[in-house]
């Protein structure tokens, strides 16, 4: 009788994972790593066939064996570099199969040899008498899978054809009319979108959501859609009826938007016409994306509320108010699309909805307006409110109940020219565009509640901490949801880019108004403009302006910087908290910010915020401050200021109670010089802003306050005030899967700090402790005196 191979070896097997490029510290971390989400995600991102073919085997019939026993046995043949684990679907806690990858192909040949194939037995730990589990080992094979045919590409607008057709026309007004004709959705494309909505309605009516209603919205409906445009759908599921369904088990009656997206995903997966389904759960409005296989139309399904449907109805109503409105909107949207100023994906692109609202506000504020204000449309007698999230989204669409607008004799071309000049000359950073009132309102009005209420009579208050964000580079108020700034995510560079293109286009269109100055080709010249984006104005509080005054040797620290506005309420809270703790914490000296000046308060507040975000929320480990790194600094003298960041035991214990914190290296090991060797620096620039309510969730209690920054009275030059960087080390990739977990761990009544800390703790669950940090970096602080 053949004795089974023994699993006992004189040397400890090497614990490696080549895919994650990680050496595990001990066998206790083996199972948690190879069964963890981070490893499984890494496996999905590599070409397994190219990496494993010929060097991997497939193990099954594992019985009650666990991963460490299997790893120990397989390591007797050679070095294991990767393991893919398949859990048993019918027996929880048991392994169904394991794919084991070795360092070289020779090992696989030995394991699969005729002499060894039927002799693989592993000792069952804890068995008395000793038992062995006979396991089956096969060659790791890769099957060729036939892929479904890709959906066809939905045909869009041919820009070359547009230019050619426009160039054949001599009059600019005719060119505008032809542009509208070339870019509208034809009957077949409209019918395709109608059929998609009908099919979705039928699919859901046969499920638990038989009361479902489908509402298309967006460009496909408002009359401004181009060929090939996406189809936006709002799906109102309604209350689910009580039926048994294998697809929709255990769905609660009250569902969150994320749950609705997942439920719809399960249903649409069963429809062959729906391809490339993808959920985006972390967005402001969670959506389900798919491609309609027969037509190639991209569809976005949302579940939040009907506000988007009402917005679409309002835009369509505007296009029907005057025959010049739609051609103007089409021309503006096509021009913006051609230069990449609008579209999805964020970044420097504005949404088409926002650009359309800009046209609406322009037409409302004219001396002889072409459009009604939303306020006037809602004030029609006998009109009932349509409340969506407590905002009235109804408006009168019956022209017989509305007054006649004053006559405006401008042509579409003249309106286009005036629109372009209007916004190219307007300082968007100082005004609020308001379609509710049809006005451009100075932002200074919103600094006072009295002045705001005077302009917005009988309107629910929309300012405050969760209200309209008027401090953004551009503020365009939604016509119905008054707390929503449609351009809140548009950065300053994008606004400058937009204005620069509008200014250049204004010159082209204005020259087309007069026969003597009309260029050859007329409006075709709009598509060959060479636009120079205007440079950013260097204000006193601008980062670049601040860096110009900083010592040359230190400017490199701030090549990548984050500008943190600190509101007055938070500054007041921080100052009071520090003063209160003076007698309780020996680490905090007698800080007198009145003598030291605002710059020291800003730096201390900044250091505290950095510690909260990096230490508390993201579980990074703070290193001791490098005092000598700024001894020769021209702006901060160590004889005048003593900065100390003390590493306490409390800092180290901020990780989960069940997570052992790695030993923090001495700062000399990490820093070695004024910068962290081989690491990337993160720099912060701080400033104070106008008094807005602070996010109290970022304020840590006295038990959470660890090291404090000790600053003596100093005499500084009126110049940039720099504080040397504090080192931080990253021991866990807490950003991996963070957005997805944020949709699972509901915030509820939790403060931001506690919520983010819980997410970090969840990410770190079951992670293997590393012997070295993944990243080491410094955070430098910079502000201006006074």
């Amino acid at each position: 009788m053949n004795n089974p191979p023994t699993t006992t070896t004189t040397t400890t097997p090497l614990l490696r994972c080549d895919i994650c490029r990680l050496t595990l510290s001990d066998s206790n971390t083996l199972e948690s790593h190879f069964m963890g989400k981070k490893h499984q995600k890494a496996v999905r991102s590599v070409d397994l066939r190219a990496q494993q073919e010929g060097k991997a085997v497939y193990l099954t019939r594992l019985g009650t064996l666990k991963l460490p026993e299997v790893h120990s046995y397989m390591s007797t043949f050679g070095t294991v570099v990767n393991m893919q684990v398949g859990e048993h679907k019918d027996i929880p806690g048991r392994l169904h199969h394991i794919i084991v990858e070795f360092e070289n192909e020779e090992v696989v040949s030995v394991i699969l040899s005729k002499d060894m194939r039927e002799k693989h037995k592993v000792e069952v730990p804890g068995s008395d008498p000793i038992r062995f589990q006979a396991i089956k080992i096969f060659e790791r094979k890769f099957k060729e899978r036939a892929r479904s045919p890709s959906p066809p590409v939905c045909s869009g607008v041919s820009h070359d054809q547009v230019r050619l057709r426009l160039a054949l026309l001599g009059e600019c007004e005719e060119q505008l009319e032809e542009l509208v004709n070339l870019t509208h959705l034809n009957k077949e494309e409209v019918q395709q979108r109608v059929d998609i909505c009908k099919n979705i309605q039928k699919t859901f009516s046969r499920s638990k959501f038989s009361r479902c209603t489908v509402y298309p919205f967006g460009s496909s409906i408002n009359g401004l859609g181009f060929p090939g445009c996406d189809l936006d759908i709002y799906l109102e599921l309604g209350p689910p009826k009580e039926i048994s369904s294998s697809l929709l088990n255990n769905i609660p009656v009250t569902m969150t938007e994320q749950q609705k997206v997942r439920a719809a995903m399960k249903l649409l997966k069963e429809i062959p016409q729906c391809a490339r389904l993808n959920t985006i759960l972390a967005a402001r409005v969670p959506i389900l994306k798919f491609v309609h296989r027969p037509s190639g139309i991209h569809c976005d399904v949302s579940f939040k509320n009907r506000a988007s449907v009402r917005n679409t109805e309002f835009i369509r109503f505007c296009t029907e108010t005057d025959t010049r409105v739609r051609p103007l909107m089409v021309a503006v949207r096509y021009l913006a699309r051609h230069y990449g100023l609008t579209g999805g994906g964020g970044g420097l692109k504005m949404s088409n909805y926002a650009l359309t609202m800009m046209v609406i506000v322009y037409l409302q504020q004219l001396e002889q307006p072409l459009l009604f204000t939303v306020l006037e449309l809602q004030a029609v007698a006998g009109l009932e409110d349509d409340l969506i999230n407590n905002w009235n989204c109804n408006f009168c669409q019956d022209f017989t109940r509305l007054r006649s607008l004053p006559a405006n004799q401008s042509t579409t071309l003249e309106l286009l020219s005036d629109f372009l000049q209007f916004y190219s000359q307007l300082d968007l950073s100082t005004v609020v565009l308001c379609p509710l009132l049809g006005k451009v309102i100075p932002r200074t009005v919103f600094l006072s509640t009295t002045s705001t209420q005077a302009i917005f009579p009988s309107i629910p208050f929309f300012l405050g901490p969760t209200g309209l964000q008027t401090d953004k580079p551009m503020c365009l108020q939604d016509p119905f949801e008054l707390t929503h700034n449609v351009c809140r995510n548009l950065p300053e560079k994008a606004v400058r880019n937009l204005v620069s293109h509008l200014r250049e286009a204004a010159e082209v269109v204005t020259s087309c108004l007069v026969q003597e100055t009309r260029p050859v080709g007329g409006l075709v010249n709009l598509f060959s403009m060479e636009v120079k984006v205007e440079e950013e104005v260097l204000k006193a509080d601008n980062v670049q302006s601040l860096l110009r005054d900083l010592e040359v040797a230190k400017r490199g620290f701030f090549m990548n910087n984050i500008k943190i506005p600190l509101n007055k309420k938070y500054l007041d809270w921080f100052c009071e908290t520090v003063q209160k703790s003076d007698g309780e914490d020996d680490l905090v000296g007698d800080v007198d910010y009145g003598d030291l000046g605002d710059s020291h308060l800003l730096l201390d507040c900044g250091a505290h915020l950095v510690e909260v975000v990096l230490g508390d929320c993201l579980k990074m480990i703070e290193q001791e401050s490098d005092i000598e790194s700024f001894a020769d600094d021209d702006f901060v003298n160590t004889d005048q200021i003593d900065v100390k960041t003390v590493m306490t035991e409390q800092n180290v214990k901020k990780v989960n109670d069940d997570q052992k914190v790695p030993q923090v290296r001495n700062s000399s090991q990490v820093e070695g010089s004024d910068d962290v060797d081989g690491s990337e620096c993160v720099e912060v620039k701080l400033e104070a802003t106008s008094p807005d309510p602070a996010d109290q969730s970022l304020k840590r209690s006295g038990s959470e306050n660890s090291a404090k920054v000790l600053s003596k009275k100093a005499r500084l030059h009126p110049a940039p005030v720099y504080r040397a960087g504090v080192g931080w080390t990253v021991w866990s990739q807490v950003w991996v899967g963070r957005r997805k977990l944020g949709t699972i761990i509901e915030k509820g009544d939790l403060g931001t700090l506690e919520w983010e800390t819980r997410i970090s703790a969840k990410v770190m669950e079951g992670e293997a402790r590393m012997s070295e940090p993944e990243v080491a970096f410094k955070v430098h602080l910079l502000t201006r005196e006074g």
Side-chain angles (χ1 to χ4, degrees):
M1 180 176 179
N2 295 327
N3 293 325
T6 178
T7 61
T8 305
T9 59
T10 55
T11 60
T12 303
L14 182 62
L15 306 177
R16 253 172 71 185
C17 177
D18 275 13
I19 286 184
C20 299
R21 298 180 182 178
L22 186 67
T23 300
L24 305 176
S25 56
D26 53 61
S27 59
N28 295 328
T29 61
L30 183 76
E31 193 164 10
S32 63
H33 173 74
F34 284 112
M35 298 185 73
K37 291 182 179 179
K38 184 164 47 172
H39 173 74
Q40 293 173 10
K41 183 177 181 180
V43 167
R44 290 193 294 268
S45 66
V46 300
D47 184 356
L48 290 178
R49 180 164 194 157
Q51 178 167 317
Q52 291 186 350
E53 198 160 30
K55 295 191 292 184
V57 292
Y58 179 90
L59 283 65
T60 188
R61 296 191 183 179
L62 301 173
T64 59
L65 293 175
K66 299 295 182 183
L67 203 59
E69 294 91 68
V70 177
H71 181 276
S72 179
Y73 175 76
M74 300 308 292
S75 296
T76 60
F77 297 97
T79 302
V80 176
V81 296
N82 181 30
M83 301 178 79
Q84 289 174 248
V85 181
E87 294 180 299
H88 207 297
K89 293 182 179 180
D90 300 325
I91 308 176
R94 285 200 180 186
L95 299 176
H96 177 268
H97 68 270
I98 303 174
I99 297 172
V100 181
E101 180 185 346
F102 293 93
E103 199 169 31
N104 53 63
E105 298 179 9
E106 289 76 11
V107 175
V108 175
S109 301
V110 173
I111 294 175
L112 298 177
S113 64
K114 189 176 293 186
D115 295 336
M116 289 293 301
R117 186 181 290 271
E118 303 297 330
K119 299 180 181 179
H120 294 292
K121 298 181 180 180
V122 181
E123 181 181 338
V124 178
S127 58
D128 188 17
I130 296 177
R131 291 189 302 107
F132 292 89
Q133 173 69 40
I135 62 176
K136 289 287 186 181
I137 302 182
F138 303 96
E139 180 185 356
R140 164 69 156 133
K141 293 182 178 180
F142 293 86
K143 295 181 180 179
E144 295 290 347
R145 295 186 179 181
R147 297 190 62 179
S148 301
S150 298
V153 177
C154 188
S155 59
V157 181
S158 170
H159 179 66
D160 291 337
Q161 183 181 2
V162 169
R163 290 192 61 160
L164 178 61
R165 295 283 292 272
L166 297 186
L168 296 175
L169 300 173
E171 296 296 325
C172 293
E173 286 286 352
E174 293 178 352
Q175 289 178 326
L176 271 179
E177 184 179 348
E178 183 67 10
L179 177 64
V180 174
N181 292 333
L182 291 172
T183 57
H184 80 288
L185 291 173
N186 58 40
K187 289 184 179 180
E188 181 183 354
E189 291 169 318
V190 172
Q191 189 59 46
Q192 285 177 337
R193 287 161 171 76
V194 171
D195 291 341
I196 292 174
C197 294
K198 286 182 178 179
N199 290 335
I200 292 177
Q201 180 86 51
K202 289 179 182 178
T203 299
F204 279 81
S205 65
R206 293 193 294 264
S207 73
K208 192 171 184 176
F209 300 101
S210 59
R211 301 176 182 88
C212 166
T213 307
V214 177
Y215 296 94
F217 67 94
S219 300
S220 298
I221 304 301
N222 61 24
L224 302 175
F226 296 149
C229 67
D230 294 353
L231 172 60
D232 297 307
I233 298 172
Y234 164 64
L235 206 55
E236 193 172 77
L237 293 180
K241 63 181 181 181
E242 295 301 324
I243 61 172
S244 59
S245 172
S246 59
L247 293 175
L248 300 167
N249 291 327
N250 302 320
I251 294 180
V253 175
T254 303
M255 302 172 68
T256 64
E257 290 175 58
Q258 288 82 1
Q259 289 171 328
K260 291 177 181 178
V261 170
R262 295 188 184 101
M265 177 83 161
K266 292 179 181 178
L267 282 171
L268 295 180
K269 270 184 176 180
E270 305 299 315
I271 304 177
Q273 289 82 3
C274 295
R276 298 179 184 173
L277 282 91
N278 182 34
T279 60
I280 303 178
L281 300 175
R284 176 178 177 267
V285 179
I287 61 174
L288 169 63
K289 301 174 75 72
F290 70 90
V291 180
H292 184 240
R293 194 183 297 278
S295 64
I297 296 174
H298 289 250
C299 305
D300 295 343
V301 184
S302 62
F303 304 83
K304 186 175 183 181
N305 55 50
R306 289 185 299 107
S308 52
V309 179
R310 298 300 280 165
N311 288 333
T312 298
E313 292 176 0
F314 173 62
I315 293 174
R316 188 171 187 89
F317 171 79
C318 290
T319 63
E320 296 170 349
T321 303
D322 190 285
T323 55
R324 293 163 288 183
V325 174
R326 182 169 175 266
L328 175 62
M329 289 181 174
V330 169
V332 172
R333 285 166 62 119
Y334 187 82
L335 180 66
R337 169 183 167 171
H338 175 70
Y339 286 99
L341 303 176
T342 57
L348 298 181
K349 292 186 177 183
M350 169 185 279
S351 67
N352 280 306
Y353 173 68
L355 185 63
T356 305
M357 282 297 156
M358 288 178 65
V359 178
I360 289 175
V361 172
Y362 159 72
L363 295 175
Q364 289 173 328
Q365 59 81 47
L366 292 172
E367 189 173 347
Q368 289 87 32
L370 266 68
L371 295 177
F372 298 96
T373 67
V374 176
L375 190 64
E376 183 178 353
L377 294 174
Q378 292 181 334
V380 174
L383 189 70
E384 296 183 357
D385 290 351
D386 180 12
L387 296 180
I388 301 176
N389 282 358
N390 297 322
W391 294 107
N392 181 19
C393 296
N394 202 5
F395 62 96
C396 179
Q397 302 185 54
D398 185 356
F399 288 106
T400 62
R401 301 173 64 185
L402 299 171
R403 67 180 176 91
S404 297
L405 291 171
N408 187 314
Q409 303 301 326
S410 300
T411 65
T412 307
L413 187 64
E414 289 171 341
L415 290 171
L416 176 59
S417 173
D418 194 44
F419 166 83
L420 296 170
Q421 292 185 56
F422 177 76
Y423 281 110
S424 63
Q425 297 169 5
L426 185 64
D427 187 357
L428 293 170
S429 65
T430 63
V431 297
V432 173
L433 306 179
C434 179
L436 177 73
L437 304 180
K439 293 181 179 180
V440 178
I441 306 172
R443 296 194 189 187
T444 52
V445 170
F446 297 92
L447 297 178
S448 167
T449 304
T450 304
S451 60
T452 304
Q453 291 176 343
I455 294 182
F456 293 85
S458 305
I459 300 297
F461 190 66
F462 53 81
L463 299 177
T466 59
L468 182 67
Q469 297 174 318
T470 59
D471 58 341
K472 299 297 181 179
M474 182 173 176
C475 184
L476 172 53
Q477 190 177 35
D478 188 86
F480 303 113
E481 188 183 348
L482 303 183
T483 55
H484 179 37
N485 176 5
V486 178
C487 297
R488 71 194 183 284
N489 292 327
L490 202 65
E492 184 181 3
K493 185 177 180 180
V495 177
R496 287 189 282 111
N497 189 37
L498 172 68
V499 172
S500 298
H501 280 80
L502 295 180
R503 182 178 296 112
E504 194 71 27
E507 294 183 8
V508 175
V509 178
T510 303
S511 67
C512 292
L513 295 175
V514 182
Q515 186 68 37
E516 290 74 17
T517 59
R518 182 178 301 169
V520 177
L523 295 181
V524 178
N525 292 277
L526 284 172
F527 308 122
S528 57
M529 300 186 303
E530 294 183 3
V531 181
K532 182 179 180 181
V533 180
E534 68 175 13
E535 296 295 329
E536 183 178 4
V537 178
L538 295 180
K539 302 176 182 179
D541 62 345
N542 186 275
V543 175
Q544 298 301 323
S545 174
L546 184 62
L547 293 181
R548 284 191 310 181
D549 299 332
L550 184 64
E551 183 185 4
V552 177
K554 292 183 175 59
R555 292 179 190 172
F557 295 157
F558 297 90
M559 291 295 292
N560 300 309
N561 59 73
I562 303 170
K563 183 178 178 181
I564 304 179
L566 300 175
N567 56 58
K568 188 175 184 302
K569 188 171 182 180
Y570 182 78
L571 293 173
D572 292 342
W573 170 86
F574 180 80
C575 196
E576 290 174 8
T577 304
V578 170
Q579 294 289 1
K580 272 185 182 179
S581 63
D582 283 350
E584 302 171 6
D585 195 340
D586 293 336
L587 297 175
V588 182
D590 186 9
V591 180
D592 188 347
Y593 291 117
D595 291 340
L596 285 174
D598 291 339
S599 59
H600 289 270
L601 173 58
L602 288 172
L603 290 174
D604 286 357
C605 265
H608 174 74
L609 278 173
V610 168
E611 190 177 351
V612 167
V613 174
L614 301 186
D616 289 357
C617 293
L618 300 181
K619 305 300 182 185
M620 300 182 189
I621 305 299
E622 183 180 352
Q623 307 298 293
E624 292 183 3
S625 182
D626 185 3
I627 307 299
E628 296 179 358
S629 64
F630 55 90
D632 298 326
D633 187 66
D634 293 337
F635 304 101
V636 183
N637 192 309
T638 52
D639 294 331
Q640 299 168 333
I641 295 181
D642 181 22
V643 182
K644 295 179 180 177
T645 303
V646 183
M647 185 69 189
T648 66
E649 186 177 356
Q650 188 177 1
N651 291 96
V652 180
K653 290 185 177 178
K654 288 175 184 172
V655 190
N656 297 344
D657 294 334
D658 58 343
Q659 173 93 14
K660 185 177 179 182
V661 179
Q663 182 65 37
V664 180
R665 296 186 295 170
N666 184 278
S667 60
S668 61
Q669 291 176 279
V670 178
E671 297 172 359
S673 65
D674 193 41
D675 195 4
V676 180
D677 183 31
S679 66
E680 193 173 330
C681 288
V682 179
E683 294 79 31
V684 180
K685 186 263 182 186
L686 305 169
E687 66 168 342
T689 60
S690 57
D692 288 325
D695 185 356
Q696 299 296 322
S697 61
L698 279 180
K699 300 173 182 177
R700 301 192 298 170
S701 63
S703 62
E704 291 176 310
N705 287 327
S706 57
K708 300 293 184 181
V709 178
L710 176 63
S711 302
K712 295 181 179 179
K713 297 179 181 179
R715 180 168 47 83
L716 299 177
H717 301 288
V721 182
Y722 165 78
R723 180 169 293 172
V726 173
W728 291 87
T729 51
V730 181
W731 298 83
S732 176
Q733 293 183 354
V734 293
W735 52 86
V736 176
R738 192 173 192 87
R739 293 184 65 184
K740 183 177 181 181
L741 280 174
T743 64
I744 299 173
I745 303 176
E746 296 186 4
K747 186 174 181 182
D749 296 331
L750 297 175
T752 302
L753 172 61
E754 187 178 356
W755 182 55
E756 294 287 355
T757 302
R758 287 192 182 184
I759 294 175
S760 295
K762 189 67 177 177
V763 174
M764 295 168 65
E765 273 186 8
E767 277 196 346
R769 176 170 59 87
M770 295 177 293
S771 58
E772 296 288 332
E774 293 205 15
V775 181
F777 63 94
K778 280 186 179 181
V779 179
H780 299 268
L781 303 178
L782 181 67
T783 187
R784 190 185 292 279
E785 182 61 72

